[in-house]
Amino acid sequence: MIRALSITRSIHDWLYSSMSENMAYFIEMVLIAIVYLAIFAVAGLFLVLIERRVAAWFQLRIGPNRVGFQGLLQTMADALKLLSKELTGTEKADKFLYNLAPYFVIITALMALAVIPFTQDFQAFDINIGILFLIAISSIGVIGILLGGWSSNNKFALIGAMRSGVQTISYELSIGLSLLTMILITGSLQLSEIVEVQKSGWLIVQGHIPAIIAFMIYMIAGTAETNRAPFDMAEAESELGAGFHTEYSGMKFAYFFLAEFINMFIIAAIATTVFFGAWLSPFGITESIPILGVFWFLAKAMVLVFLMMWFRWTFPRLRVDQLLTLEWKYLLPLNLMNIVIMALIVWLNLTIQF
């Protein structure tokens, strides 16, 4: 379902009154795609700038401070540089798959972004299997990484791609189980309904200790899912160069690079929606002032993004065996026990109410 503000409702009415229904629907989809592409580009550049600022802060450096006021246009200059770079590749690469791989990564990130509820009126598609859709889309994204590493005909890229595949498949279990723990409270996979349940209190509060444990596991697994330090074995510079995108340059490299930051934002946005009430403010004023909903959503999401950046510049990189041991011997059993505890809490509350 496409939700619209008053201005978008006016555009909707004008389109359907001026042309055929099919053509109006097609133009609406194109406009929505353009809006989300713009959000994707701006958010990616902004997050790269924030990452560089946070890195400088942790390392007692100044960071970007030359291009634009306080370096605000530095990432824009970097993007223009990547646009102007030559698209190179290896002679023995599988050309079709080599060129296809970056689009797998970028399209899956865009599809996941489309179901995120920024406010009650700013959500492209509110489907009744929202959480399941997000988990499924995140599983498809790793195909682009595997294709890019394999088709490059480079042993370092292949090793990075295989590491990423193993890591993603492993930590998807913890992400899915931690979200399932919270779904037991809401009884719905639809993101808008999950937010509605939280009008009486954020789920991280309603769910007591199991919800806090689920949130901690989700953030650890989400950081690993995006191949960010200390779980960046797929891109270990000291071992693999750039990892799975070693042979990419120009905008194809930029697609992989931006997708990592957008995926980091998506992980934070899902946590904001499921654990912290999405656009709902702690003061109950979002309903009367809708624009504040965007502010609260982005504020919560950026705090979680900062937390993930904090991980990167604080902890050393794990070895592959340590990375897999953390998931299969610790996070997965803890998640399973946590789901049982949450199910008992929900069942006891329902029994008492009955």
Side-chain angles (χ1 to χ4, degrees):
M1 180 181 68
I2 302 174
R3 297 186 170 189
L5 294 166
S6 57
I7 185 171
T8 56
R9 175 57 61 185
S10 300
I11 295 173
H12 172 83
D13 294 339
W14 178 78
L15 286 173
Y16 276 82
S17 63
S18 304
M19 57 192 71
S20 66
E21 182 177 346
N22 290 335
M23 180 59 69
Y25 181 79
F26 174 76
I27 293 176
E28 273 193 344
M29 294 299 102
V30 170
L31 291 175
I32 291 172
I34 291 172
V35 169
Y36 271 84
L37 282 171
I39 293 173
F40 189 98
V42 172
L45 294 176
F46 176 73
L47 289 169
V48 172
L49 179 63
I50 293 297
E51 174 81 85
R52 297 176 70 174
R53 281 290 188 183
V54 170
W57 181 55
F58 273 96
Q59 297 170 359
L60 300 179
R61 297 186 288 107
I62 297 175
N65 63 349
R66 289 288 187 270
V67 185
F69 176 73
Q70 294 295 314
L72 291 176
L73 298 180
Q74 181 63 58
T75 51
M76 183 66 71
D78 293 339
L80 293 174
K81 179 188 70 175
L82 287 172
L83 278 170
S84 63
K85 276 188 173 293
E86 180 184 1
L87 297 175
T88 61
T90 57
E91 290 184 359
K92 296 184 179 180
D94 186 319
K95 299 298 183 184
F96 176 72
L97 296 180
Y98 176 84
N99 293 321
L100 179 65
Y103 296 99
F104 255 103
V105 176
I106 210 83
I107 289 172
T108 53
L110 272 169
M111 291 175 68
L113 201 62
V115 299
I116 299 297
F118 292 95
T119 69
Q120 186 173 0
D121 298 311
F122 187 7
Q123 183 180 9
F125 294 100
D126 182 21
I127 53 180
N128 59 0
I129 54 169
I131 294 292
L132 181 61
F133 177 82
L134 287 169
I135 295 173
I137 286 298
S138 66
S139 303
I140 295 174
V142 73
I143 295 177
I145 294 174
L146 291 171
L147 288 179
W150 182 83
S151 64
S152 295
N153 195 32
N154 179 298
K155 61 183 178 182
F156 298 114
L158 179 60
I159 293 171
M162 296 304 295
R163 284 182 178 181
S164 179
V166 171
Q167 180 173 321
T168 301
I169 292 170
S170 298
Y171 280 88
E172 273 178 358
L173 290 172
S174 284
I175 287 181
L177 290 174
S178 59
L179 293 176
L180 179 61
T181 304
M182 307 311 296
I183 291 168
L184 289 173
I185 302 177
T186 63
S188 174
L189 294 168
Q190 190 167 351
L191 292 171
S192 60
E193 292 187 6
I194 291 174
V195 178
E196 287 294 320
V197 171
Q198 298 181 73
K199 286 187 174 180
S200 58
W202 294 348
L203 286 186
I204 199 166
V205 177
Q206 292 187 43
H208 308 294
I209 294 177
I212 297 173
I213 295 173
F215 170 70
M216 293 172 65
I217 294 174
Y218 175 85
M219 290 304 298
I220 294 171
T223 304
E225 181 85 0
T226 54
N227 293 323
R228 289 182 59 83
F231 306 100
D232 61 339
M233 291 303 301
E235 305 173 18
E237 297 90 349
S238 58
E239 302 175 24
L240 306 177
F244 55 87
H245 51 64
T246 296
E247 297 295 344
Y248 285 90
S249 66
M251 280 309 296
K252 292 178 182 177
F253 164 76
Y255 288 158
F256 283 110
F257 188 68
L258 287 177
E260 176 185 321
F261 285 88
I262 294 299
N263 286 331
M264 178 174 60
F265 175 78
I266 290 170
I267 290 293
I270 295 171
T272 299
T273 304
V274 174
F275 294 95
F276 297 102
W279 67 80
L280 299 176
S281 78
F283 309 112
I285 58 177
T286 304
E287 295 296 328
S288 58
I289 311 176
I291 192 63
L292 282 180
V294 178
F295 168 78
W296 286 118
F297 184 93
L298 293 179
K300 297 171 190 175
M302 290 311 298
V303 169
L304 297 180
V305 166
F306 173 75
L307 183 63
M308 296 173 74
M309 292 178 179
W310 194 345
F311 291 163
R312 175 173 184 174
W313 301 108
T314 302
F315 298 110
R317 180 183 297 128
L318 298 179
R319 299 196 311 266
V320 174
D321 61 314
Q322 293 173 329
L323 185 145
L324 296 177
T325 296
L326 175 63
E327 165 61 18
W328 293 101
K329 289 188 177 180
Y330 296 97
L331 295 186
L332 185 59
L334 182 59
N335 238 327
L336 293 172
M337 290 189 294
N338 201 41
I339 287 179
V340 173
I341 294 171
M342 180 64 82
L344 288 173
I345 291 174
V346 172
W347 179 73
L348 288 173
N349 284 341
L350 291 175
T351 304
I352 292 171
Q353 290 174 6
F354 180 78

